[in-house]
Amino acid sequence: MSEEGNEKREFRAEVCKVLHILTHSLYTNREIFLRELISNASDALDKVRFRVNRGELPRLPDLDLEIRITLDKDAKTLTISDTGLGMNAEELAENLGTIAKSGSEDFLASLAAENDRKAENPEETAAADAANIIGRFGIGCYSVFMVADKVEVISRPAFGEGEPKAHVWTSDGLGTFTVETTDSEEPERGTVIKVHLKDDALEFAEKYRVESIIRKHSAYVPFPVFVDGEQANTQPALWREPRASIKKEQYDSFYTHLTYDNKPPLDVEHISVDVPVQFTALLYIPDTERDFFGSERDYWGLDLYARRVLIQHNNKELLPEYLAFLRGLVDTEDLPLNISRETLQENVILRRINQVVTKQTLGHLEKMARDEKEKYNSFWRLHGKIFKLGYHDFVNRDRIASLLRFNSSALAEADDLTSLEDYMGRAPEAQKTFWFVTGPNREACRLNPHMELFRKKGVEVLYLFEPIDEFVMDGLGKYKEWEFRAVENAGPEALKDFEDKEKPEAAPPLSDEDSTSFDALMARMKEILGDKVTSVALSHRLADSPAVLVSPDGGMTASMEKLLKVMQKDDSIPVKILEVNRDHPLLRSMLKIYKADNKSRVLDEMTRSLFDSCLLVDGYLKDPQALAARQNEILTQAAAWYTEVCKI
Ligand code: ADP
Ligand code: MG
């Protein structure tokens, strides 16, 4: 960066994109620009306090750490200054001219998701507002261009050798900016941002308006904020107050300050611990879902304070990943104030806090599950997806298993939930297994042919809708001595101790001769299918379906197998046993056809089609054209026979 550099510099492409969106599509809630500027000023002050605590000496060490806003209606300006860290010329260009690429991409992805959500829930439009996600991805600064047609940022670094000059960054937010040296005396240390308000944004030069925005969005900023000389915020450290004295509204408004979420939290957990570490934590369970498997995968953690001084935002050592849904902070007496951010990793104290936070949170969730069932179910629907990952946590595995929720064949609605404990309570005496079936939704689970035996026996089956669920089952292994098993791995013996609950109309038994012919039919079917199947065998698990594919070793489930194949980019079709239902009308008809003509072409078509529909149920469809051709041929024949039989 050259000192005389008066030349215009271009914003990076992704900045332009973000700027364009901010200035063109976000008209509601423009006031949050002030929240972003104040939060940046507060961060800059935090950084000075942090370094002073480590023994560094800033310029003008006696200067108060504070934020001042001045308004000038005639000049149409709002000016905000802080005595914080400040920036040199290079930092001005870097911090205010680029966005970490991931930041802007994540913002755009999150914005798109938000818009989709709005389209699906039109009644939520007022609540869901893109402005809420601005601060999350390191683009808060640019929101000022929602209200400004020109912005000057004048800054003087707080640390460094000699007498640093101030530099001024100027832009109209359209595509270019400049950075120049300036003789300005202000600021002596830190940053002054002069916002030239657009004509339709002059409300932000009104003192009462600015004060009310600060009360609404920035009440808990830990430094005094003055508007035209008067302090506008209260800055209490809410988490240090005794629990009994805090009202729900205070918890809620602190949450809003912390997260910018416009829904109040689902629940709050206020922890105060003395041993084995001394700390206070204020933890919230949001009432909104976050996308930890997509755009927000890196945006979690708790704010870490040492004796009320902010050490780090979003510290990830304080929580296991499966509790990433928690928002809030931890304030400890046990960390030295002069700790460097680098040594926070692998820190013993943080690890102990992590353990306590985990135990307390599990306790909190257990209590909620016991005393406030509906609330717990809401928690599960919002955060169950990430919480499930807790099956990794060996130490707390049983507690986590007891907090898992599932849909199941015994429940009436798709969003009803059961715990493992409740499932055990409903199971017949002899049962010692959690049976599960995997499918994209309830209907698919219900129609899985492997379910038929379980329906007949009246044995409840857990429905797993997400691919990860099977890993969870696998990882848990057992719960209270009960095993987890997939219905498709139920051998012929598995349910033999259970009485039939439903007695389907039994097909007339086959004569000995027909029995022998049926064996021959199965051999013929194997011949037709060749090495697509290991064998064709009699099934004892089917009631309504004609056939099903079964793994020879009873090992992996079809869904797990498919997942692994996708991961390994293997598109081959697994070779399995084709089990057929001898009592099914289709097989009975096929038997007749076989007896009449054991080389019948119709039998050929039918066998292949039957096999295809089994593959379809398992999620494999490799040759749709051939399948469609076969279907059409059978349909054509069936239609011809129908017209003949009905004489039409
Ligand atoms: P974020 O705050 O999430 O990093 P912003 O867009 O709000 O993203 O700010 C970008 C960067 O600009 C900040 O990270 C910081 O380095 C710098 N910055 C902004 N405002 C100030 C300020 N008042 N004092 C010092 N640095 C600032
Ligand atoms: Mg910011």
Side-chain angles (χ1 to χ4, degrees):
M1 172 74 228
S2 65
E3 279 292 297
E4 67 275 15
N6 187 13
E7 85 275 24
K8 283 206 182 336
R9 306 174 46 153
E10 310 243 327
F11 284 118
R12 288 248 299 268
E14 54 276 8
V15 177
C16 287
K17 228 195 261 175
V18 168
L19 277 171
H20 190 83
I21 290 177
L22 289 178
T23 47
H24 286 84
S25 43
L26 298 179
Y27 296 112
T28 55
N29 232 347
R30 291 195 299 177
E31 65 188 37
I32 58 99
F33 86 92
L34 191 59
R35 175 191 75 191
E36 295 301 328
L37 294 183
I38 292 176
S39 119
N40 285 348
S42 172
D43 285 350
L45 292 165
D46 266 322
K47 284 172 190 157
V48 168
R49 184 153 70 178
F50 180 81
R51 287 171 67 163
V52 168
N53 282 326
R54 294 184 59 196
E56 290 183 56
L57 200 63
R59 287 171 47 73
L60 307 172
D62 294 332
L63 221 49
D64 287 330
L65 294 173
E66 61 185 23
I67 299 167
R68 288 186 178 272
I69 294 172
T70 49
L71 306 170
D72 188 334
K73 265 192 266 188
D74 299 331
K76 303 181 186 174
T77 58
L78 176 155
T79 307
I80 171 169
S81 62
D82 64 69
T83 49
L85 188 67
M87 288 173 274
N88 62 27
E90 240 167 89
E91 289 162 340
L92 278 168
E94 181 60 26
N95 297 343
L96 307 181
T98 59
I99 304 178
K101 197 157 168 36
S102 66
S104 62
E105 274 169 8
D106 292 345
F107 167 72
L108 294 171
S110 195
L111 191 66
E114 190 81 347
N115 284 339
D116 286 353
R117 213 164 55 76
K118 271 201 238 176
E120 278 173 29
N121 312 299
E123 73 282 4
E124 244 192 72
T125 335
D129 194 332
N132 296 306
I133 50 183
I134 286 175
R136 221 180 282 159
F137 302 109
I139 58 162
C141 220
Y142 301 106
S143 65
V144 69
F145 287 106
M146 293 193 292
V147 300
D149 47 26
K150 181 179 167 191
V151 176
E152 294 164 87
V153 180
I154 313 157
S155 202
R156 197 187 311 269
F159 296 93
E161 302 289 302
E163 288 291 307
K165 281 216 135 200
H167 286 84
V168 55
W169 175 100
T170 313
S171 176
D172 56 9
L174 290 179
T176 58
F177 64 90
T178 57
V179 178
E180 300 161 80
T181 52
T182 167
D183 290 329
S184 168
E185 309 230 315
E186 294 281 306
E188 296 174 289
R189 180 184 92 199
T191 303
V192 174
I193 300 182
K194 195 166 197 172
V195 180
H196 296 265
L197 295 166
K198 290 180 186 173
D199 282 336
D200 68 358
L202 295 181
E203 59 187 292
F204 301 112
E206 300 283 353
K207 188 172 177 216
Y208 79 93
R209 178 81 171 98
V210 169
E211 281 174 339
S212 90
I213 298 171
I214 293 171
R215 274 195 302 276
K216 183 165 162 202
H217 294 294
S218 309
Y220 295 98
V221 169
F223 301 95
V225 181
F226 298 93
V227 180
D228 285 344
E230 255 181 274
Q231 187 165 348
N233 67 330
T234 44
Q235 43 158 356
L238 187 68
W239 62 94
R240 292 290 189 116
E241 310 277 313
R243 256 173 296 193
S245 75
I246 306 177
K247 297 196 188 67
K248 181 175 181 304
E249 297 77 60
Q250 285 172 289
Y251 277 130
D252 286 1
S253 86
F254 188 76
Y255 171 78
T256 311
H257 159 76
L258 207 66
T259 63
Y260 307 160
D261 192 347
N262 47 18
K263 267 192 181 173
L266 187 70
D267 212 355
V268 55
E269 195 188 337
H270 193 168
I271 307 173
S272 213
V273 177
D274 289 318
V275 279
V277 263
Q278 195 293 327
F279 73 92
T280 304
L282 188 51
L283 307 174
Y284 292 94
I285 301 178
D287 198 10
T288 36
E289 197 172 347
R290 307 257 315 266
D291 180 16
F292 293 113
F293 298 94
S295 64
E296 296 185 77
R297 69 205 160 276
D298 292 329
Y299 300 90
W300 61 276
L302 298 177
D303 291 347
L304 174 64
Y305 287 77
R307 289 167 234 184
R308 294 189 200 209
V309 175
L310 179 69
I311 305 290
Q312 196 180 40
H313 280 301
N314 286 340
N315 179 292
K316 293 186 172 61
E317 310 288 317
L318 293 166
L319 280 180
E321 193 178 4
Y322 67 91
L323 297 183
F325 59 87
L326 287 176
R327 311 290 302 270
L329 58 89
V330 165
D331 187 358
T332 176
E333 298 282 318
D334 291 352
L335 275 184
L337 277 176
N338 61 0
I339 187 158
S340 82
R341 287 174 204 227
E342 296 70 48
T343 58
L344 284 176
Q345 266 180 23
E346 303 288 311
N347 182 291
V348 184
I349 291 166
L350 298 199
R351 204 156 51 227
R352 289 217 188 101
I353 294 178
N354 177 316
Q355 285 160 1
V356 179
V357 164
T358 305
K359 290 229 180 322
Q360 296 256 353
T361 300
L362 291 177
H364 190 86
L365 291 172
E366 282 159 357
K367 190 162 176 312
M368 199 200 288
R370 204 168 48 235
D371 303 340
E372 298 174 282
K373 197 157 168 234
E374 263 324 298
K375 195 187 218 181
Y376 185 78
N377 286 352
S378 305
F379 154 76
W380 182 262
R381 287 179 197 115
L382 291 166
H383 309 301
K385 240 186 221 157
I386 184 91
F387 180 73
K388 271 176 210 177
L389 294 183
Y391 77 89
H392 279 307
D393 182 351
F394 190 76
V395 180
N396 296 300
R397 207 159 61 177
D398 272 359
R399 296 181 73 181
I400 286 157
S402 76
L403 287 165
L404 296 176
R405 293 294 178 268
F406 303 89
N407 194 241
S408 92
S409 61
L411 303 178
E413 303 284 340
D415 62 350
D416 282 350
L417 294 169
T418 178
S419 64
L420 295 176
E421 212 68 49
D422 289 346
Y423 176 98
M424 293 166 89
R426 286 187 294 266
E429 185 83 48
Q431 190 177 343
K432 288 281 175 280
T433 306
F434 296 106
W435 293 104
F436 64 83
V437 63
T438 311
N441 53 46
R442 215 174 133 78
E443 197 51 14
C445 288
R446 210 177 55 76
L447 289 177
N448 187 312
H450 295 283
M451 288 292 292
E452 290 168 12
L453 177 63
F454 287 81
R455 245 193 313 278
K456 190 164 101 182
K457 299 283 186 183
V459 173
E460 179 178 356
V461 176
L462 299 171
Y463 289 166
L464 310 189
F465 299 143
E466 286 157 17
I468 189 200
D469 289 340
E470 260 187 81
F471 290 97
V472 176
M473 297 306 202
D474 231 32
L476 290 176
K478 274 187 180 176
Y479 175 66
K480 302 210 164 156
E481 298 305 310
W482 284 41
E483 289 190 326
F484 295 94
R485 279 176 78 186
V487 289
E488 55 192 278
N489 291 341
E493 300 291 288
L495 297 189
K496 71 171 179 1
D497 294 339
F498 300 86
E499 302 245 335
D500 287 1
K501 286 272 166 7
E502 266 178 36
K503 293 236 188 283
E505 258 177 60
L510 289 182
S511 66
D512 284 352
E513 189 205 328
D514 276 352
S515 240
T516 316
S517 302
F518 198 87
D519 291 343
L521 166 64
M522 291 194 295
R524 172 73 191 128
M525 288 171 80
K526 162 70 181 142
E527 215 173 271
I528 294 167
L529 294 173
D531 51 15
K532 288 189 177 130
V533 295
T534 50
S535 63
V536 177
L538 266 192
S539 180
H540 300 285
R541 66 182 84 222
L542 298 174
D544 307 324
S545 299
V548 67
L549 286 167
V550 182
S551 299
D553 52 2
M556 216 182 286
T557 64
S559 56
M560 181 76 102
E561 193 169 62
K562 227 174 80 222
L563 205 66
L564 292 180
K565 278 177 176 294
V566 170
M567 278 156 42
Q568 293 159 2
K569 298 199 166 56
D570 170 1
D571 68 347
S572 65
I573 291 175
V575 178
K576 296 189 174 187
I577 302 166
L578 180 69
E579 281 193 7
V580 295
N581 180 356
R582 199 168 72 169
D583 292 341
H584 193 279
L586 172 59
L587 273 298
R588 290 291 171 99
S589 300
M590 285 171 76
L591 178 60
K592 280 187 198 158
I593 298 171
Y594 176 77
K595 278 168 45 182
D597 170 9
N598 64 12
K599 289 275 184 277
S600 160
R601 219 170 59 80
V602 178
L603 204 59
D604 236 84
E605 300 294 346
M606 285 179 167
T607 304
R608 286 183 214 282
S609 280
L610 193 57
F611 174 70
D612 283 343
S613 23
C614 291
L615 277 187
L616 270 180
V617 169
D618 281 357
Y620 293 99
L621 180 56
K622 213 171 167 194
D623 195 356
Q625 286 78 9
L627 171 72
R630 265 200 296 283
Q631 298 280 18
N632 290 342
E633 188 158 333
I634 291 179
L635 277 178
T636 311
Q637 281 170 4
W641 289 329
Y642 184 80
T643 49
E644 216 169 279
V645 169
C646 298
K647 305 202 182 357
I648 43 179

